[in-house]
Each structure stands twice: as C-alpha cells, then as structure tokens.
Amino acid sequence: MATNFIRDIIDAELAAGKHDAIVTRFPPEPNGYLHIGHCKAIFTNYTIAQDYGGRFHLRFDDTNPSKEDMSYVEAIVKDLSWLGVEWGDNLFFASDYYRQLYEWAVYLIEQGKAYVDDLSPEAVKSYRGTLTRPGRNSPYRDRSIEENLTLFQGMKNGDFPDGSKVLRAKIDMAHPNLNMRDPTIYRILHHHHYRTGDEWCIYPMYDFAHGQGDAIEGVTHSLCSLEFENHRPLYDWYIENLPVPSKPRQIEFSRLNLTYTVMSKRKLLRLVQEGHVSGWDDPRMPTLSGFRRRGYTPEAIREFARRVGVTKQNQVVDIALLEFCLRQDLEAKAARRMAVLDPIKVTITNFPADTVEWYQGPNLPGDESMGFRKVPLTRQIYIERDDFMVDPPPKFFRLAPGREVRLRYACYITATDYKVDRDGNVVEILAQFDPASRGGSTPDRRKVKGTIHFVSATENVPFQVRLYQSLFNQEDPDSDGDFIDNLNPHSLKVVNAFGEPRLAEARVGDVFQFERKGYYCVDPDTTPTNPVFNQTVSLRDSWKRRQGRQLRIRN
RNA sequence: AGCCCGAUGGUGUAAUUGGCAACACAGAUGGUUUUGGUCCAUCCAUUCUAGGUUCGAGUCCUAGUCGGGCUGCCA
C-alpha cells in the first residue's frame, strides 16, 4: 500500500490509541467546477478513509452565498460520482451548521473572546499592520460583553447594512501570523442563500466554519492544501476555545500542478468567459467534465492520483504521466478499430471492382474473449497520407513505389505507380495485391516490414474528428506575462475521417483505439448523420519522435 | 523585511528511521511484434552549499543559499 507522511502520522496516532476510527472529508466550495488538481485532494482524503476502514464525508463549504449556487453542487456531485467516490449518507453542508455556529459565536462573546467592530473595511485593513509591522487594536475592541451581545444580535436581525460591522475574535493584533490579528468571524451580507434562503443576513467566515464543521462531523483528519498552513493556528484556536464535540487535526499537503496547464478556478473561468474554449467541459480543459468528455477514464485518473504521491513539496507533475496512466488503462480495454484521418486513395489494380472481401480482426489483440469484427477490403481503399512516400528516407517501413506492405488483417500490397496533381501532390496510389497473402501472411513466409491500416473507400463510415494538442505552448503558462498569451493556437484541429463499418454502432462516450493512431471517443455533439470523435490521447509514436529529432538536427 | 513551510536524477515519489540512494514517468539505445502500439532488456544522481558529530550521514547538529505561502468583511 502506498504510504506518505500523513499516513505515517495516522499510524503513529493509531498506535498511541488516539482514535477509534478515521474520518476524512472533501470540502469543495460550490462556486466552480472540479479540476484534476482537486482529484489529489479527493483521493488522498478518500483512500485514507477507505484504507483505514473509516468514513469519508462530502461537505460543501458554502459560507459565501454571493458566489455559490446549486448548479455547482450538482456538477460536483456528478463529477465525484463519475470518479467512483462514495460518501453514502455522509453528505453535509457548512450551511447546515449556521445555527450552531451562531451560538458558538455568542459563546465567544460571552467568554470575552469576540467583539463587534464598527471599523470600515479600509480601516480594518490599516489597523491590521503589515507583514513586518504589528497591528493596532480597534477602538471598538473593549466593548462590554453586553454591548457586544446586543450588537451581534442586531447584526443577525438585519439592523445594520452590509459592511458596517463585523464580529471579530479577540486574539492578538501584534501576532506575527496575520491570521491571528483579530480575524473576522461573521460579516453582514444581505444576500439570498441557495439553501437557507433569506434566513440569515450574517454569514460565518471560512475559518470559523471549517474546523467547527469538522468537529461536528467527527472528522479526525482535515487534510487540505498548503495555503491553509498559516490558518492552522486559528483553526486550533477556535477548536480550543469552543465547546466542540471533537478535536480534529488539520494537516496540509501541496497542491497538484501539471505542465502545460493552468489550474486555478479564476484562470479556468477566464478561459471560458473569453471564449478561448467552448465551455467548462471543453475536452482541452483540465476540469473533470473536460477529461470525461475527452474520453479519460476514472481508473486512469485514480491511478494518476495514486502515483503523484502526497508531500509538502511544491509539485509540478509532467502531463505525460497522466497520459501514461490513461494509455495503460485504455490499452487493456479499448476495442480496436481502423480509421483513416488524413486519407489518400489507393486503387488495387488487380482487385475486382464491385467485390467486397471480408476479413476479421480481434477487438482486443491477445484476448479473443472480446470477440472479433469484420473488416471489408475493396478495390479502392484509403490509407493515411503519411504512410506513403515517393522518396522515403532510410528506415521508412511503409508504402513507397516498389515497396510491399501489409494491410492490417487483410493482405500484402505493392505500390506500382502514383498520380500527382498540378502542384506535384500525390493524389492517388496504384498498387497490386498478392492473392496468396490473404489473411495477412503468405505460404513462402516472406517478411514485410510494415503493416499499415486502411479503410475501404466504399464500405466505410465518414465522421468528424477533433484532434487536440495541449492548450498552452509553454510548460509553465504563467512563466512569462499573461497566461492567455501562451495559448497554443493549434490546440484544436478538425478533420474529416473515414472509419471501418463497425464504427457505425459507436455510441456517445464509447472509447476506441484507432489502430496505429490513438484513442478516440464519441463526443456528445454526435448526431445520427454526423458522428463526432474526440482524440482522447495519441499512441506513443517513436517514428514521429525520430523524424522530429532528424528535423531538429537539420535545422 | 516579520511569520510559516519546503529542498533527493529532467519530473514525481522511496529509502527498513544513522548502514550498498530505490521505483515510476520522461529521454536514449537495442530486441520481439500482423499496431513504428504493447511487451522485454540496457543506459541516465557529487541527495542545495559549507562546516561539524560518527566506524558510518540523504537522514543528526550549526551557519548559509535558493524556492513557495501569508497583509479578503474569499475559500
């Protein structure tokens, strides 16, 4: 089983008899869509609960009604369900605790540990001090408990306008940790809440809601990302100073970043709003809905989350690792089909017209239990344009004048001639097949170095294919200037392709391996007359890599 | 500048807690192959620096260096 520093801590606590059970949680704010970075948080919390035989809670951290709504809750639930994460009855909302939180705020006032402050937001800011200078006490800091109680009650009753007052914890305005300089507990916000309606016009801050929510639910380990590290003293302060039913422990780990990707909600939102992508579920987006539409599998994402590990080091993972996990998963389960994405016609001159010969290919090579499909061969076929070269370089094993190759599952053909247009582009290839090679081998057992895929020019299914490259052309899109300037103008390319007949049965969401090309899935934009496939991920291509290297050497 | 955190191949993680720096991805080379895929083999490190403790240090101590976070009535 994978281990990490958090599990080491839990092991030690368990050995010391500190817990009866382990309880973790994933606490999304319903104000945006889940992305691949969240998966790390989701699975570290989820797998720890699973592996230790504990509970996993899903809690929506909805303490800011001005940004949150139900559509996000639904989208997040859908994404988590797709990932295979299960929380059973343990679905909670921070808004479920508003009443309890309010009572605890009153308790702090009664203890002389909280006060109502009339300072304006600007004044609060100037009183806070700076990174290097201590802050000053608010002139309202020493109001009597009675006055604070009355004022806070008034805040709750709607007696005061937004921003006119806040409730603050009375801690230490000179504390070196800014979060401890009398942090805000409640602010006035006359805003409709998607769950509590207009019941409240004051809402608790994150810091006042999170740890207490954990304590109410009996969460033992509140695992979150590094930027909350400086909040831990405050998290602990509330837990220590409130009569909470349990004492959760917050442990922080680093966020996941990916090369060639931006991961903040704000930046993803900008990509959508400025129209650089078609929406949150654009297949180029690192959102879960984007990956789902792209054809990624939950298994691949889960494996990826397992492999990246959990530490406190700033983490930038090579996107190639995600693609590796995907290929590994799809290699074992995607049915094989043939499709030609950049077609050039081949006429097999010694093959009769108006005849169709049917060959057979396995759905999954090496696993006959997955069955076979029939593949038609006709006099005219399409092959990939880059599978033919008039003047091939060394080590080119595909079709060329006088060269023989195998048409996958079918037979051997030898190029005898080709036709060019006025510009010298090859427009058609003429070839002859060896009747003795039917099935893909010959009695004389002669070797052919290359096997290429093909699609009948008459027995096929035409469709649109959307080819993708990374959205950004910089490994770190934020490295120089505005990340928008590093958008890859070639991230989407649409082509018209031809596929083998069985592809007519493909349904939205199905993923296939187009042999020798990559994995492709059926996009929701598909209509009965216009099938659309997304390139999920290409196959590794050592030939292309080799060519790229040759090009680099020449230039 | 004050506080907090981090530092092991190109990348991400390990290292039986003081005992031969391991695994994966990426990259390179070769083999197998009816997918130039898969699979298999081989190669790829002064553990940030300098001192110190020790028979022995990635691990402990001291001093630096570099990187990240924090001045919302966001989460």
Side-chain angles (χ1 to χ4, degrees):
Chain A
M1 187 188 296
T3 188
N4 58 51
F5 81 101
I6 296 175
R7 287 170 185 252
D8 290 345
I9 289 170
I10 293 173
D11 288 341
E13 289 176 349
L14 248 17
K18 195 176 166 191
H19 307 289
D20 298 324
I22 298 301
V23 183
T24 63
R25 102 274 89 111
F26 176 61
E29 184 189 10
N31 71 341
Y33 292 82
L34 257 27
H35 55 65
I36 186 77
H38 290 115
C39 291
K40 178 177 174 181
I42 292 165
F43 284 120
T44 80
N45 277 285
Y46 186 61
T47 58
I48 283 175
Q50 272 194 321
D51 294 344
Y52 286 89
R55 300 199 311 272
F56 169 79
H57 294 186
L58 170 59
R59 180 174 72 240
F60 285 94
D61 228 332
D62 53 356
T63 55
N64 186 354
S66 68
K67 292 184 177 174
E68 301 150 2
D69 74 63
M70 203 60 200
S71 68
Y72 290 118
V73 170
E74 287 158 1
I76 289 169
V77 163
K78 181 180 178 182
D79 286 345
L80 288 170
S81 301
W82 176 68
L83 281 180
V85 168
E86 294 174 351
W87 51 87
D89 295 332
N90 300 305
L91 171 62
F92 304 100
F93 294 81
S95 50
D96 291 343
Y97 311 137
Y98 283 174
R99 172 61 52 186
Q100 175 65 265
L101 258 10
Y102 175 77
E103 285 168 12
W104 278 337
V106 169
Y107 176 87
L108 279 185
I109 294 173
E110 288 167 348
Q111 299 289 308
K113 293 173 179 170
Y115 63 98
V116 172
D117 195 345
D118 297 357
L119 248 26
S120 69
E122 300 72 35
V124 166
K125 188 173 180 176
S126 76
Y127 271 78
R128 184 157 35 230
T130 68
L131 258 17
T132 51
R133 293 201 187 293
R136 291 136 55 212
N137 285 171
S138 164
Y140 303 97
R141 198 173 197 259
D142 294 314
R143 291 217 252 227
S144 69
I145 289 175
E146 291 66 33
E147 186 181 7
N148 280 319
L149 250 16
T150 305
L151 255 17
F152 186 46
Q153 175 95 40
M155 282 170 62
K156 187 198 130 197
N157 291 343
D159 298 344
F160 311 113
D162 288 4
S164 60
K165 287 177 172 31
V166 288
L167 182 71
R168 303 176 72 178
K170 193 186 285 187
I171 305 181
D172 178 5
M173 288 307 291
H175 199 108
N177 181 334
L178 288 283
N179 294 125
M180 300 296 272
R181 317 242 263 228
D182 290 9
T184 303
I185 296 175
Y186 267 93
R187 76 278 214 188
I188 301 171
L189 215 53
H190 290 268
H191 201 293
H192 186 83
H193 187 284
Y194 74 103
R195 293 189 82 240
T196 59
D198 297 314
E199 186 183 351
W200 298 88
C201 62
I202 56 171
Y203 292 93
M205 297 291 289
Y206 162 85
D207 288 303
F208 193 69
H210 201 93
Q212 283 77 284
D214 287 337
I216 290 168
E217 295 172 20
V219 167
T220 53
H221 300 272
S222 191
L223 313 178
C224 62
S225 46
L226 244 30
E227 68 269 28
F228 294 101
E229 210 161 23
N230 292 331
H231 290 245
R232 181 160 22 100
L234 181 54
Y235 182 102
D236 292 339
W237 191 90
Y238 285 133
I239 294 297
E240 288 304 320
N241 287 282
L242 255 15
V244 292
S246 73
K247 295 193 185 303
R249 190 218 293 206
Q250 172 178 303
I251 303 174
E252 314 82 16
F253 56 88
S254 60
R255 278 174 178 263
L256 166 70
N257 296 289
L258 278 182
T259 55
Y260 298 100
T261 310
V262 294
M263 207 71 94
S264 82
K265 278 184 193 172
R266 205 197 94 249
K267 287 174 187 158
L268 296 177
L269 176 65
R270 198 172 149 204
L271 290 173
V272 173
Q273 287 184 334
E274 293 180 7
H276 299 111
V277 295
S278 64
W280 287 98
D281 68 344
D282 186 298
R284 294 166 294 181
M285 289 283 274
T287 51
L288 289 190
S289 52
F291 280 120
R292 180 164 60 234
R293 184 166 175 183
R294 180 80 175 258
Y296 274 65
T297 62
E299 292 79 2
I301 291 172
R302 188 180 182 126
E303 171 67 5
F304 174 71
R306 189 186 70 75
R307 282 172 176 258
V308 298
V310 180
T311 65
K312 300 186 75 156
Q313 277 139 260
N314 291 163
Q315 183 184 56
V316 184
V317 177
D318 193 338
I319 185 86
L321 179 64
L322 212 210
E323 295 183 340
F324 166 82
C325 293
L326 214 216
R327 290 190 184 106
Q328 180 180 252
D329 188 43
L330 258 18
E331 159 74 21
K333 58 190 183 200
R336 309 299 140 109
R337 295 289 183 264
M338 288 197 285
V340 175
L341 308 190
D342 184 15
I344 182 169
K345 187 175 286 185
V346 178
T347 299
I348 305 171
T349 52
N350 60 337
F351 194 97
D354 305 321
T355 299
V356 181
E357 286 187 6
W358 291 89
Y359 293 93
Q360 181 173 267
N363 287 137
L364 211 55
D367 183 2
E368 301 203 344
S369 70
M370 293 297 287
F372 295 80
R373 85 281 189 184
K374 298 282 191 201
V375 177
L377 177 68
T378 53
R379 178 178 167 90
Q380 292 204 311
I381 60 173
Y382 293 119
I383 66 168
E384 219 63 64
R385 187 166 294 274
D386 62 11
D387 280 341
F388 175 81
M389 285 187 92
V390 173
D391 185 20
K395 301 273 183 68
F396 181 84
F397 304 136
R398 285 115 87 147
L399 197 61
R403 299 264 189 101
E404 181 174 57
V405 296
R406 175 187 294 112
L407 294 180
R408 190 150 167 84
Y409 306 128
C411 64
Y412 297 174
I413 60 170
T414 301
T416 53
D417 200 359
Y418 59 93
K419 297 177 182 172
V420 296
D421 63 14
R422 279 181 282 277
D423 300 321
N425 302 310
V426 178
V427 293
E428 184 182 350
I429 299 162
L430 302 179
Q432 293 203 331
F433 85 112
D434 178 356
S437 69
R438 277 195 264 243
S441 60
T442 53
D444 66 8
R445 303 177 64 82
R446 70 174 183 275
K447 298 282 187 198
V448 287
K449 192 70 179 164
T451 297
I452 63 175
H453 62 281
F454 71 99
V455 168
S456 162
T458 44
E459 305 286 322
N460 65 48
V461 185
F463 49 77
Q464 184 189 92
V465 173
R466 296 173 183 169
L467 299 167
Y468 301 106
Q469 289 180 5
S470 64
L471 234 197
F472 296 93
N473 50 29
Q474 293 288 320
E475 189 167 306
D476 175 7
D478 293 312
S479 60
D480 62 281
D482 188 1
F483 72 103
I484 294 294
D485 297 334
N486 292 322
L487 243 12
N488 175 4
H490 309 294
S491 61
L492 169 64
K493 183 182 172 192
V494 179
V495 300
N496 294 312
F498 296 102
E500 60 174 85
R502 267 299 277 279
L503 250 8
E505 300 167 14
R507 301 229 295 266
V508 172
D510 288 352
V511 187
F512 299 93
Q513 184 196 102
F514 289 171
E515 300 199 65
R516 297 210 311 137
K517 298 304 290 183
Y519 297 94
Y520 294 79
C521 75
V522 184
D523 189 85
D525 284 348
T526 288
T527 65
T529 50
N530 276 307
V532 177
F533 281 79
N534 290 313
Q535 178 189 49
T536 303
V537 66
S538 70
L539 248 29
R540 291 181 73 215
D541 188 346
S542 56
W543 171 248
K544 194 175 183 180
R545 272 209 306 272
R546 190 191 187 95
Q547 294 309 292
R549 193 162 61 241
Q550 294 299 321
L551 272 172
R552 279 195 297 278
I553 290 167
R554 272 185 226 122
N555 291 343

